[in-house]
Amino acid sequence: MALDEFTPADHIFENEEVLRDSHRPDELLERDEQLSEYQAALKPVIKGTRPKNIFLVGQTGVGKTVGTKLIREQFNKDQQKYDHIDVNFVYLNCKKLSNSYRVAANLVNKFRPEDDQITTTGYPRDMIYNMLYRELRNTDHTHVIIILDEIDSIGNDDGILYELPRCNDNEEVPPEDTYVGVIGISNDFTFRDNLSARVKDSLCEEEIHFPPYDAEELARILEHRAENAFVDDVLDSSVPRLCGALAGQESGSARYALNLLYKAGDLARSEGTPRVSEDHVRRAEPLVKENKIRRELERLPSQSHLTLYAVLALHNKDKLPARSLTIYNAYQTAAEEVVSDVKTQRTIRDRLGALQLKGFLTMTRENRGEGGGRYDLYDFGEIEISMIRDVLANTDRIDELFPNK
Ligand SMILES: Nc1ncnc2c1ncn2[C@@H]1O[C@H](COP(=O)(O)OP(=O)(O)OP(=O)(O)O)[C@@H](O)[C@H]1O
Ligand SMILES: [Mg+2]
């Protein structure tokens, strides 16, 4: 086949970068209330007193990460005017960190120069915490605010969320050396609900909820982005509204809405149509939906991957729907093969709950009649099982369970 010529000419996009997830908008629309709550929670810091610990929760794509980054930038700009504070915001994305130990070790390295990094395995746990406290004590900053994004990855192993928020109180890091504050961010409501009471008390001094966007909010966000992204007048005026409506129905995620608009433009470009129309949006939707589900599956914590694997194994034996105990037994077999830490039945029941909330599994509650109690039965939902299989077979470590991939 004769290949098309590569040319920079583009009749649809002025600057498609603006529609990518990596693009940082310079303001966050439709989030005034949440951002002022957020700023209020940081008030003690700018006053030079002890920070409050903050927990940010809300579904995926609702501006938690980008909002945090904008707040941090604003704070850094404003704090230059004052001599009494010197605040260091330390951002860590915990996506790939499956326990408190790894989070602590990665934090230690955030304070160290390139050539003095520690290995992130192998130390006794106490020693890692002590190393972290030492870094916090010795820093020249008045405050260190540690931002732990996607913190749900650590699952039940939430010790760090107990240790860090109280390190000023127990004098591990005396407040006169450094004030320490923690901002935890999560899109997993089950994780928040299952935090132990002791963690909840200290971490969630301020809880800020980012709700999903509605169709109109999404349409306004898209219209704003479209101004710089598209060539003038190529977008049918109803397109942002339709993307907003579809994304609003789907989940209220701005990421999803932006992906939809981007994909619609992309289709128009590759088909050589002069304008982006509703038809492009409708055809873009199934593609974007599938991508989103795949991405969410890929991003699940490893214990959730193993739990899904167990459900898949039961599906292959025609044993679905299944009770959590049956799934747990299948999980144990798989977990013993690929990871060292096999979790308790309770943890896996929580993972099943989280998977159900995210729509990867369905749950029905059965009553066994008088005095028989109730039990829950899990099954796959509407998502294609072949996709789940494909993602698991290409996930680090879990892939070992698919010898004939
Ligand atoms: N109010 C908004 N205005 C403009 N863009 C937004 C807004 N909210 C979110 N976005 C965009 O949507 C995308 C997702 O936002 P963000 O990464 O902050 O989501 P999140 O809440 O952290 O999601 P997750 O839980 O998946 O990490 C980003 O590209 C971001 O720029
Ligand atoms: Mg985020």
Side-chain angles (χ1 to χ4, degrees), residues 389-405:
R389 187 185 184 286
D390 193 50
V391 169
L392 293 176
N394 288 294
T395 300
D396 222 19
R397 294 202 286 184
I398 315 281
D399 57 358
E400 293 164 27
L401 297 164
F402 293 85
N404 328 310
K405 190 168 62 166

Side-chain angles (χ1 to χ4, degrees), residues 34 36 145 155 191-192 194 206 211 227 242 300 358 365 367 392 402 404:
Q34 291 72 25
S36 51
I145 308 291
F191 175 77
R192 194 264 323 257
N194 286 331
E206 285 286 334
E227 276 171 28
L242 177 60
L300 289 171
K358 285 184 188 281
R365 186 153 283 182
N367 283 312
L392 293 176
F402 293 85
N404 328 310

